[in-house]
Coordinates of all heavy atoms in Angstrom, one line a residue:
M1 N 9.3 -87.1 -96.0 CA 9.0 -86.3 -97.1 C 9.7 -86.7 -98.4 O 10.9 -87.0 -98.3 CB 9.4 -84.8 -96.7 CG 9.0 -83.8 -97.7 SD 9.5 -82.1 -97.3 CE 8.3 -81.7 -96.1
Q2 N 9.0 -86.7 -99.4 CA 9.7 -87.0 -100.7 C 10.5 -85.9 -101.2 O 10.5 -84.8 -100.6 CB 8.6 -87.4 -101.8 CG 7.9 -88.7 -101.4 CD 6.9 -89.1 -102.6 OE1 6.3 -88.2 -103.2 NE2 6.9 -90.3 -102.9
A3 N 11.2 -86.1 -102.3 CA 12.1 -85.0 -102.9 C 11.2 -83.9 -103.3 O 10.0 -84.1 -103.8 CB 12.8 -85.6 -104.1
L4 N 11.7 -82.7 -103.2 CA 11.1 -81.5 -103.7 C 11.8 -80.9 -104.9 O 13.0 -80.9 -104.9 CB 11.1 -80.4 -102.6 CG 10.1 -80.5 -101.5 CD1 10.3 -79.4 -100.5 CD2 8.7 -80.6 -102.0
G5 N 11.1 -80.5 -105.9 CA 11.7 -79.8 -107.1 C 11.0 -78.5 -107.2 O 9.8 -78.3 -107.1
L6 N 11.9 -77.5 -107.5 CA 11.4 -76.1 -107.6 C 12.0 -75.5 -108.9 O 13.1 -75.7 -109.2 CB 11.9 -75.2 -106.5 CG 11.5 -75.7 -105.1 CD1 12.7 -76.4 -104.4 CD2 11.0 -74.6 -104.2
I7 N 11.1 -74.8 -109.6 CA 11.5 -74.1 -110.8 C 10.9 -72.7 -110.7 O 9.7 -72.6 -110.4 CB 11.1 -74.8 -112.1 CG1 11.7 -74.1 -113.3 CG2 9.7 -75.0 -112.2 CD1 11.7 -74.9 -114.6
E8 N 11.7 -71.7 -111.0 CA 11.2 -70.3 -110.9 C 11.4 -69.7 -112.3 O 12.5 -69.7 -112.8 CB 12.0 -69.6 -109.9 CG 11.4 -68.2 -109.5 CD 12.0 -67.7 -108.2 OE1 11.5 -68.2 -107.1 OE2 12.9 -66.9 -108.3
T9 N 10.3 -69.2 -112.9 CA 10.3 -68.6 -114.2 C 10.0 -67.2 -114.1 O 9.4 -66.7 -113.1 CB 9.3 -69.3 -115.1 OG1 8.0 -69.0 -114.6 CG2 9.5 -70.8 -115.2
R10 N 10.3 -66.4 -115.1 CA 10.0 -65.0 -115.1 C 8.7 -64.8 -116.0 O 8.7 -63.8 -116.7 CB 11.1 -64.1 -115.6 CG 10.9 -62.7 -115.5 CD 12.0 -61.8 -115.7 NE 13.1 -62.0 -114.8 CZ 13.2 -61.4 -113.5 NH1 12.2 -60.7 -113.1 NH2 14.2 -61.6 -112.8
S11 N 7.8 -65.6 -115.9 CA 6.5 -65.4 -116.6 C 5.5 -66.5 -116.3 O 5.9 -67.7 -116.0 CB 6.6 -65.4 -118.1 OG 6.9 -66.6 -118.7
L12 N 4.2 -66.2 -116.2 CA 3.2 -67.2 -116.0 C 3.2 -68.2 -117.2 O 3.1 -69.4 -116.9 CB 1.9 -66.6 -115.8 CG 0.7 -67.5 -115.5 CD1 1.0 -68.3 -114.3 CD2 -0.6 -66.8 -115.4
T13 N 3.4 -67.8 -118.4 CA 3.4 -68.7 -119.5 C 4.6 -69.7 -119.4 O 4.3 -70.9 -119.6 CB 3.6 -67.9 -120.8 OG1 2.6 -66.9 -120.9 CG2 3.6 -68.8 -122.1
G14 N 5.7 -69.3 -119.0 CA 6.8 -70.2 -118.8 C 6.5 -71.2 -117.7 O 6.8 -72.4 -117.8
A15 N 5.9 -70.7 -116.6 CA 5.5 -71.6 -115.5 C 4.5 -72.7 -115.9 O 4.6 -73.8 -115.6 CB 5.0 -70.8 -114.3
I16 N 3.5 -72.2 -116.7 CA 2.5 -73.2 -117.2 C 3.2 -74.2 -118.2 O 2.9 -75.4 -118.0 CB 1.4 -72.4 -117.9 CG1 0.6 -71.6 -116.9 CG2 0.5 -73.4 -118.7 CD1 -0.4 -70.7 -117.5
D17 N 4.0 -73.8 -119.1 CA 4.7 -74.7 -120.0 C 5.6 -75.7 -119.2 O 5.6 -76.9 -119.5 CB 5.6 -74.0 -121.0 CG 5.0 -73.9 -122.4 OD1 3.7 -74.2 -122.5 OD2 5.7 -73.5 -123.3
A18 N 6.3 -75.1 -118.2 CA 7.2 -76.0 -117.3 C 6.3 -77.0 -116.6 O 6.7 -78.2 -116.6 CB 7.9 -75.1 -116.4
T19 N 5.2 -76.6 -116.0 CA 4.4 -77.5 -115.3 C 3.8 -78.6 -116.2 O 3.8 -79.8 -115.8 CB 3.2 -76.8 -114.6 OG1 3.8 -75.8 -113.8 CG2 2.3 -77.7 -113.9
D20 N 3.4 -78.2 -117.4 CA 2.9 -79.2 -118.3 C 4.0 -80.3 -118.7 O 3.7 -81.5 -118.6 CB 2.4 -78.5 -119.6 CG 1.8 -79.5 -120.6 OD1 0.9 -80.2 -120.3 OD2 2.3 -79.5 -121.8
A21 N 5.2 -79.8 -119.0 CA 6.3 -80.7 -119.3 C 6.7 -81.6 -118.1 O 6.9 -82.8 -118.3 CB 7.5 -79.9 -119.8
M22 N 6.7 -81.0 -116.9 CA 7.1 -81.8 -115.7 C 6.1 -82.9 -115.4 O 6.6 -84.0 -115.2 CB 7.2 -80.8 -114.5 CG 8.4 -80.0 -114.6 SD 8.7 -79.1 -113.0 CE 7.4 -78.0 -112.9
T23 N 4.9 -82.6 -115.5 CA 3.9 -83.6 -115.1 C 3.7 -84.7 -116.2 O 3.2 -85.8 -115.9 CB 2.5 -83.0 -114.8 OG1 2.1 -82.2 -115.9 CG2 2.6 -82.1 -113.5
K24 N 4.0 -84.3 -117.5 CA 4.0 -85.3 -118.5 C 5.2 -86.2 -118.6 O 5.2 -87.3 -119.1 CB 3.8 -84.6 -119.9 CG 2.4 -84.1 -120.1 CD 2.2 -83.4 -121.4 CE 0.9 -82.8 -121.6 NZ 0.7 -82.1 -122.9
T25 N 6.4 -85.7 -118.2 CA 7.6 -86.3 -118.3 C 7.9 -87.4 -117.2 O 8.5 -88.4 -117.5 CB 8.8 -85.3 -118.3 OG1 8.6 -84.4 -119.4 CG2 10.1 -86.0 -118.3
A26 N 7.5 -87.1 -116.0 CA 7.8 -88.0 -114.9 C 6.6 -88.1 -113.9 O 5.7 -87.3 -114.0 CB 9.0 -87.4 -114.2
D27 N 6.7 -89.1 -113.1 CA 5.7 -89.4 -112.1 C 5.9 -88.4 -110.9 O 6.5 -88.9 -109.9 CB 5.7 -90.8 -111.7 CG 4.6 -91.2 -110.7 OD1 3.6 -90.4 -110.7 OD2 4.7 -92.2 -110.0
V28 N 5.5 -87.2 -111.0 CA 5.6 -86.2 -110.0 C 4.2 -85.6 -109.7 O 3.4 -85.7 -110.5 CB 6.6 -85.1 -110.3 CG1 8.0 -85.6 -110.4 CG2 6.2 -84.3 -111.6
K29 N 4.1 -85.1 -108.5 CA 2.8 -84.5 -108.1 C 3.1 -83.0 -108.0 O 4.0 -82.5 -107.3 CB 2.4 -85.1 -106.7 CG 1.1 -84.4 -106.2 CD 0.8 -85.0 -104.8 CE -0.4 -84.2 -104.2 NZ -0.6 -84.6 -102.8
L30 N 2.2 -82.2 -108.6 CA 2.3 -80.8 -108.5 C 1.8 -80.4 -107.1 O 0.6 -80.7 -106.7 CB 1.4 -80.1 -109.6 CG 1.3 -78.6 -109.5 CD1 2.6 -77.9 -109.7 CD2 0.3 -78.1 -110.5
I31 N 2.6 -79.7 -106.4 CA 2.3 -79.2 -105.1 C 1.6 -77.9 -105.2 O 0.6 -77.6 -104.5 CB 3.5 -79.1 -104.2 CG1 4.1 -80.5 -103.9 CG2 3.2 -78.5 -102.8 CD1 3.2 -81.5 -103.3
G32 N 2.1 -77.0 -106.0 CA 1.5 -75.7 -106.2 C 2.4 -74.7 -106.9 O 3.5 -75.0 -107.2
T33 N 1.9 -73.5 -107.0 CA 2.7 -72.4 -107.5 C 2.6 -71.2 -106.6 O 1.7 -71.1 -105.8 CB 2.1 -72.0 -108.9 OG1 0.8 -71.5 -108.7 CG2 2.1 -73.1 -109.9
V34 N 3.6 -70.4 -106.7 CA 3.6 -69.2 -105.9 C 4.0 -68.0 -106.8 O 5.0 -68.1 -107.5 CB 4.7 -69.3 -104.7 CG1 4.7 -68.0 -103.9 CG2 4.4 -70.4 -103.8
K35 N 3.2 -67.0 -106.8 CA 3.6 -65.8 -107.6 C 4.4 -64.9 -106.7 O 3.9 -64.4 -105.7 CB 2.3 -65.0 -108.1 CG 1.6 -65.8 -109.1 CD 0.3 -65.1 -109.5 CE -0.5 -65.9 -110.5 NZ -1.8 -65.3 -110.8
I36 N 5.7 -64.8 -107.0 CA 6.6 -64.1 -106.1 C 6.5 -62.6 -106.2 O 6.6 -61.8 -105.3 CB 8.1 -64.5 -106.5 CG1 8.2 -66.0 -106.5 CG2 9.1 -63.9 -105.6 CD1 8.4 -66.7 -105.2
G37 N 6.3 -62.1 -107.5 CA 6.3 -60.7 -107.7 C 7.3 -60.4 -108.8 O 8.2 -61.2 -109.1
S38 N 7.2 -59.2 -109.4 CA 8.1 -58.9 -110.6 C 8.1 -59.9 -111.7 O 9.1 -60.1 -112.3 CB 9.6 -58.7 -110.1 OG 9.6 -57.6 -109.1
G39 N 7.0 -60.6 -111.8 CA 6.8 -61.6 -112.9 C 7.4 -62.9 -112.6 O 7.3 -63.8 -113.4
L40 N 7.9 -63.1 -111.4 CA 8.5 -64.4 -111.0 C 7.4 -65.4 -110.5 O 6.6 -65.0 -109.7 CB 9.6 -64.3 -110.0 CG 10.8 -63.6 -110.4 CD1 11.8 -63.4 -109.2 CD2 11.5 -64.3 -111.5
V41 N 7.4 -66.6 -111.0 CA 6.5 -67.6 -110.6 C 7.3 -68.9 -110.2 O 8.1 -69.3 -111.0 CB 5.5 -68.0 -111.7 CG1 4.5 -69.0 -111.2 CG2 4.7 -66.7 -112.2
N42 N 7.0 -69.4 -109.1 CA 7.7 -70.6 -108.6 C 6.7 -71.8 -108.6 O 5.6 -71.7 -108.2 CB 8.2 -70.4 -107.2 CG 9.2 -71.4 -106.7 OD1 8.7 -72.6 -106.5 ND2 10.4 -71.0 -106.4
V43 N 7.2 -72.9 -109.2 CA 6.4 -74.1 -109.3 C 7.1 -75.2 -108.4 O 8.3 -75.4 -108.5 CB 6.2 -74.6 -110.7 CG1 5.4 -75.9 -110.8 CG2 5.6 -73.5 -111.6
V44 N 6.3 -75.9 -107.6 CA 6.9 -76.9 -106.7 C 6.2 -78.2 -107.0 O 5.0 -78.4 -107.1 CB 6.6 -76.5 -105.2 CG1 7.2 -77.5 -104.3 CG2 7.1 -75.1 -104.9
V45 N 7.1 -79.3 -107.2 CA 6.6 -80.6 -107.4 C 7.3 -81.5 -106.4 O 8.3 -81.2 -105.8 CB 6.9 -81.1 -108.9 CG1 6.2 -80.3 -109.9 CG2 8.4 -81.1 -109.2
T46 N 6.7 -82.7 -106.2 CA 7.3 -83.7 -105.3 C 7.2 -85.1 -105.9 O 6.4 -85.3 -106.8 CB 6.6 -83.7 -103.9 OG1 7.3 -84.5 -103.0 CG2 5.1 -84.1 -104.0
G47 N 8.0 -86.0 -105.5 CA 8.1 -87.3 -106.0 C 9.4 -88.0 -105.6 O 10.2 -87.5 -104.8
Q48 N 9.6 -89.1 -106.2 CA 10.9 -89.8 -106.1 C 12.0 -88.9 -106.7 O 11.8 -88.2 -107.6 CB 10.9 -91.2 -106.7 CG 9.9 -92.1 -106.1 CD 10.1 -92.4 -104.7 OE1 11.3 -92.7 -104.3 NE2 9.1 -92.4 -103.9
V49 N 13.2 -89.1 -106.1 CA 14.3 -88.2 -106.5 C 14.6 -88.2 -108.0 O 14.6 -87.1 -108.7 CB 15.6 -88.6 -105.8 CG1 16.8 -87.7 -106.3 CG2 15.5 -88.4 -104.3
A50 N 14.7 -89.4 -108.6 CA 15.0 -89.4 -110.1 C 13.9 -88.8 -110.9 O 14.1 -88.1 -111.9 CB 15.2 -90.9 -110.5
A51 N 12.6 -89.0 -110.5 CA 11.5 -88.5 -111.2 C 11.5 -86.9 -111.1 O 11.2 -86.2 -112.1 CB 10.2 -89.0 -110.7
V52 N 11.8 -86.4 -109.9 CA 11.8 -85.0 -109.7 C 12.9 -84.3 -110.5 O 12.7 -83.3 -111.2 CB 11.9 -84.6 -108.2 CG1 12.2 -83.1 -108.0 CG2 10.7 -85.1 -107.5
R53 N 14.1 -85.0 -110.5 CA 15.2 -84.5 -111.3 C 14.8 -84.4 -112.8 O 15.1 -83.4 -113.5 CB 16.5 -85.3 -111.1 CG 17.1 -85.1 -109.8 CD 18.5 -85.8 -109.8 NE 19.0 -86.0 -108.4 CZ 19.6 -85.0 -107.7 NH1 19.8 -83.8 -108.2 NH2 20.0 -85.2 -106.5
A54 N 14.3 -85.5 -113.3 CA 13.8 -85.5 -114.7 C 12.8 -84.5 -115.0 O 12.8 -83.8 -116.1 CB 13.3 -86.9 -115.1
A55 N 11.8 -84.3 -114.1 CA 10.8 -83.4 -114.3 C 11.3 -81.9 -114.3 O 10.9 -81.1 -115.2 CB 9.7 -83.5 -113.2
I56 N 12.2 -81.6 -113.4 CA 12.8 -80.3 -113.4 C 13.6 -80.0 -114.7 O 13.5 -78.9 -115.2 CB 13.7 -80.1 -112.1 CG1 12.8 -80.1 -110.9 CG2 14.5 -78.8 -112.2 CD1 11.8 -79.0 -110.8
E57 N 14.3 -80.9 -115.2 CA 15.1 -80.7 -116.5 C 14.1 -80.5 -117.6 O 14.3 -79.6 -118.4 CB 16.0 -81.9 -116.8 CG 17.3 -81.8 -116.0 CD 18.0 -80.6 -116.2 OE1 18.3 -80.1 -117.3 OE2 18.4 -79.9 -115.1
A58 N 13.0 -81.3 -117.7 CA 12.0 -81.1 -118.7 C 11.3 -79.7 -118.6 O 11.1 -79.1 -119.6 CB 11.0 -82.2 -118.7
G59 N 11.0 -79.4 -117.4 CA 10.4 -78.1 -117.1 C 11.3 -76.9 -117.5 O 10.8 -75.9 -118.1
K60 N 12.5 -77.0 -117.2 CA 13.5 -76.0 -117.5 C 13.6 -75.8 -119.0 O 13.5 -74.7 -119.5 CB 14.9 -76.3 -117.0 CG 15.9 -75.3 -117.2 CD 17.2 -75.7 -116.6 CE 18.3 -74.7 -116.9 NZ 19.6 -75.2 -116.3
T61 N 13.7 -76.9 -119.8 CA 13.8 -76.8 -121.2 C 12.5 -76.2 -121.8 O 12.6 -75.3 -122.7 CB 13.9 -78.3 -121.8 OG1 15.1 -78.8 -121.3 CG2 14.0 -78.3 -123.3
A62 N 11.3 -76.6 -121.3 CA 10.1 -76.0 -121.8 C 9.9 -74.5 -121.5 O 9.5 -73.8 -122.4 CB 8.9 -76.8 -121.2
A63 N 10.3 -74.2 -120.3 CA 10.2 -72.8 -119.9 C 11.1 -71.9 -120.7 O 10.8 -70.7 -121.1 CB 10.4 -72.6 -118.4
L64 N 12.3 -72.4 -120.9 CA 13.3 -71.6 -121.7 C 12.9 -71.4 -123.1 O 13.3 -70.4 -123.8 CB 14.7 -72.3 -121.7 CG 15.5 -72.2 -120.4 CD1 16.7 -73.1 -120.4 CD2 15.9 -70.7 -120.2
A65 N 12.0 -72.2 -123.7 CA 11.6 -72.1 -125.1 C 10.6 -70.9 -125.2 O 10.5 -70.4 -126.3 CB 10.9 -73.4 -125.5
V66 N 10.0 -70.5 -124.1 CA 9.0 -69.4 -124.2 C 9.4 -68.2 -123.3 O 8.7 -67.2 -123.3 CB 7.6 -69.8 -123.8 CG1 7.1 -70.9 -124.8 CG2 7.5 -70.3 -122.4
G67 N 10.5 -68.3 -122.5 CA 10.8 -67.2 -121.6 C 12.1 -67.4 -120.9 O 12.9 -68.1 -121.3
E68 N 12.1 -67.0 -119.6 CA 13.3 -67.0 -118.8 C 13.1 -68.0 -117.6 O 12.0 -68.1 -117.1 CB 13.6 -65.7 -118.2 CG 14.0 -64.6 -119.2 CD 14.3 -63.3 -118.5 OE1 15.0 -63.3 -117.5 OE2 13.7 -62.3 -119.0
V69 N 14.2 -68.7 -117.3 CA 14.2 -69.5 -116.1 C 15.1 -68.8 -115.1 O 16.3 -68.6 -115.4 CB 14.6 -70.9 -116.3 CG1 14.8 -71.7 -115.0 CG2 13.6 -71.6 -117.2
Y70 N 14.6 -68.4 -114.0 CA 15.4 -67.7 -113.0 C 16.2 -68.7 -112.1 O 17.4 -68.5 -111.8 CB 14.5 -66.9 -112.1 CG 15.3 -65.9 -111.2 CD1 15.9 -64.8 -111.7 CD2 15.4 -66.2 -109.8 CE1 16.6 -64.0 -110.8 CE2 16.1 -65.4 -109.0 CZ 16.7 -64.2 -109.5 OH 17.4 -63.4 -108.6
A71 N 15.6 -69.8 -111.7 CA 16.3 -70.8 -110.9 C 15.6 -72.1 -110.9 O 14.4 -72.2 -111.2 CB 16.4 -70.3 -109.5
T72 N 16.4 -73.2 -110.7 CA 15.9 -74.5 -110.5 C 16.6 -75.2 -109.4 O 17.8 -74.9 -109.1 CB 16.0 -75.5 -111.7 OG1 17.4 -75.7 -112.0 CG2 15.3 -74.9 -113.0
H73 N 15.9 -76.1 -108.7 CA 16.6 -76.7 -107.5 C 15.8 -78.0 -107.2 O 14.6 -78.0 -107.2 CB 16.7 -75.8 -106.3 CG 17.5 -76.3 -105.2 ND1 18.9 -76.6 -105.4 CD2 17.3 -76.7 -103.9 CE1 19.4 -77.0 -104.3 NE2 18.4 -77.1 -103.4
V74 N 16.6 -79.0 -106.8 CA 16.0 -80.3 -106.3 C 16.6 -80.5 -104.9 O 17.8 -80.5 -104.7 CB 16.3 -81.5 -107.2 CG1 15.8 -82.8 -106.6 CG2 15.7 -81.2 -108.6
I75 N 15.7 -80.8 -104.0 CA 16.1 -81.2 -102.6 C 15.7 -82.7 -102.4 O 14.6 -83.0 -102.3 CB 15.4 -80.3 -101.6 CG1 15.6 -78.8 -101.8 CG2 15.9 -80.7 -100.2 CD1 14.8 -77.9 -100.9
P76 N 16.8 -83.5 -102.5 CA 16.5 -85.0 -102.5 C 15.8 -85.5 -101.3 O 14.9 -86.3 -101.3 CB 17.9 -85.6 -102.6 CG 18.7 -84.5 -103.2 CD 18.2 -83.3 -102.7
Q77 N 16.2 -85.1 -100.1 CA 15.6 -85.6 -98.8 C 15.4 -84.4 -97.9 O 16.1 -84.2 -96.9 CB 16.5 -86.6 -98.2 CG 16.6 -87.9 -99.0 CD 17.6 -88.8 -98.3 OE1 18.5 -88.5 -97.6 NE2 17.3 -90.1 -98.5
P78 N 14.4 -83.6 -98.2 CA 14.2 -82.4 -97.3 C 13.8 -82.8 -95.9 O 13.1 -83.8 -95.7 CB 13.1 -81.6 -98.0 CG 12.4 -82.6 -98.8 CD 13.4 -83.7 -99.2
D79 N 14.3 -82.1 -94.9 CA 13.9 -82.4 -93.5 C 12.4 -82.0 -93.4 O 11.9 -81.1 -94.1 CB 14.7 -81.5 -92.6 CG 14.5 -81.8 -91.2 OD1 15.0 -82.8 -90.7 OD2 13.8 -81.1 -90.5
D80 N 11.7 -82.7 -92.5 CA 10.3 -82.4 -92.2 C 10.0 -80.9 -91.9 O 9.0 -80.4 -92.2 CB 9.8 -83.3 -91.1 CG 9.7 -84.7 -91.6 OD1 9.6 -85.0 -92.8 OD2 9.7 -85.6 -90.7
S81 N 11.0 -80.3 -91.3 CA 10.8 -78.9 -90.9 C 10.7 -77.9 -92.2 O 10.2 -76.8 -92.1 CB 11.9 -78.4 -90.0 OG 13.2 -78.5 -90.7
V82 N 11.1 -78.4 -93.3 CA 11.0 -77.6 -94.5 C 9.5 -77.3 -94.9 O 9.2 -76.3 -95.4 CB 11.7 -78.3 -95.7 CG1 11.5 -77.6 -97.0 CG2 13.2 -78.4 -95.5
A83 N 8.7 -78.3 -94.5 CA 7.3 -78.1 -94.8 C 6.7 -76.9 -94.1 O 5.7 -76.3 -94.5 CB 6.5 -79.4 -94.4
K84 N 7.3 -76.5 -93.0 CA 6.8 -75.3 -92.2 C 7.0 -74.0 -93.0 O 6.3 -73.1 -92.7 CB 7.5 -75.3 -90.9 CG 7.2 -76.4 -90.0 CD 8.0 -76.3 -88.7 CE 7.7 -77.5 -87.8 NZ 8.6 -77.5 -86.6
I85 N 8.0 -74.0 -93.9 CA 8.2 -72.7 -94.6 C 7.6 -72.7 -96.0 O 7.6 -71.7 -96.7 CB 9.7 -72.3 -94.6 CG1 10.5 -73.3 -95.4 CG2 10.2 -72.1 -93.2 CD1 11.9 -72.9 -95.8
L86 N 7.1 -73.9 -96.4 CA 6.4 -73.9 -97.7 C 5.1 -73.2 -97.6 O 4.5 -73.1 -96.5 CB 6.2 -75.3 -98.2 CG 7.5 -76.1 -98.6 CD1 7.1 -77.6 -98.8 CD2 8.1 -75.5 -99.8
P87 N 4.6 -72.6 -98.7 CA 3.3 -72.0 -98.7 C 2.3 -72.9 -98.2 O 2.4 -74.1 -98.2 CB 3.1 -71.6 -100.1 CG 4.5 -71.4 -100.7 CD 5.3 -72.5 -100.0
S88 N 1.1 -72.4 -97.8 CA 0.1 -73.2 -97.2 C -0.5 -74.3 -98.1 O -1.2 -75.2 -97.6 CB -1.1 -72.3 -96.8 OG -1.6 -71.6 -97.9
F89 N -0.2 -74.3 -99.4 CA -0.7 -75.4 -100.2 C -0.1 -76.7 -100.0 O -0.5 -77.7 -100.4 CB -0.6 -75.0 -101.7 CG 0.8 -74.7 -102.2 CD1 1.8 -75.7 -102.3 CD2 1.1 -73.4 -102.5 CE1 3.1 -75.4 -102.7 CE2 2.4 -73.1 -102.9 CZ 3.4 -74.0 -103.0
Y90 N 1.0 -76.8 -99.2 CA 1.7 -78.0 -99.1 C 1.1 -78.9 -98.0 O 0.6 -78.6 -97.0 CB 3.2 -77.8 -98.7 CG 4.0 -79.1 -98.7 CD1 4.3 -79.7 -99.9 CD2 4.4 -79.7 -97.6 CE1 5.0 -80.9 -99.9 CE2 5.1 -80.9 -97.6 CZ 5.4 -81.5 -98.8 OH 6.1 -82.6 -98.8

């Protein structure tokens, strides 16, 4: 499994801006989004570790320009079992 990057925003607009920035900044693949509730939206990307880190930073900057970022995280080498708890889009 390649690296996973996650960014959680407190608005759909922030999530869309973050996704746009992430996919334009680095060679990452958008895995999907999850609407958590209470306005929280989680975006998941995958790719090489350096690309995912760069994408998450770019996404964070973009989302902060229009709203709130609740959390960001990069998992460099997730275990295969992590795929079992990801939403069905993975």
Side-chain angles (χ1 to χ4, degrees):
M1 181 182 285
Q2 292 188 316
L4 284 178
L6 303 103
I7 185 166
E8 194 164 278
T9 67
R10 189 170 294 281
S11 72
L12 182 59
T13 303
I16 291 169
D17 257 13
T19 302
D20 183 55
M22 288 190 292
T23 55
K24 287 179 178 176
T25 298
D27 185 21
V28 294
K29 178 182 174 190
L30 174 64
I31 297 299
T33 63
V34 179
K35 293 179 184 174
I36 308 281
S38 299
L40 294 176
V41 181
N42 191 294
V43 180
V44 183
V45 296
T46 189
Q48 297 298 315
V49 177
V52 170
R53 287 188 196 279
I56 292 297
E57 281 304 311
K60 181 179 178 180
T61 300
L64 284 171
V66 297
E68 296 178 50
V69 173
Y70 188 74
T72 63
H73 191 60
V74 174
I75 305 174
Q77 295 179 330
D79 187 77
D80 290 337
S81 62
V82 172
K84 293 177 184 174
I85 64 168
L86 289 174
S88 61
F89 55 71
Y90 188 74

